[in-house]
Amino acid sequence: MAVNSKKIAVYVLVVFVLYVIVTDPAKAADYVQIGFEGISDAAKALGDFASWVANGGDS
């Protein structure tokens, strides 16, 4: 029987996340904050790019 490597990777990731949350909740919260800041920055950059394109690419 072939084991799906993607499924194994997801299980390993879930176990790691649970381990980090249980052993150091403050650090886990920091990781979540960093992730949301990254997503926010990416969304702002996409918005700036879309505005730039809508304005005809003028600086």
Side-chain angles (χ1 to χ4, degrees):
M1 290 180 7
V3 178
N4 189 352
S5 61
K6 184 177 179 183
K7 191 179 279 189
I8 291 173
V10 169
Y11 287 141
V12 169
L13 181 64
V14 168
V15 169
F16 175 72
V17 168
L18 291 174
Y19 172 77
V20 170
I21 290 171
V22 169
T23 58
D24 195 357
K27 193 167 204 161
D30 290 340
Y31 290 148
V32 170
Q33 182 178 2
I34 290 168
F36 280 125
E37 286 176 1
I39 292 169
S40 175
D41 291 345
K44 184 181 179 318
L46 286 173
D48 291 344
F49 176 73
S51 295
W52 178 77
V53 169
N55 290 330
D58 295 333
S59 298

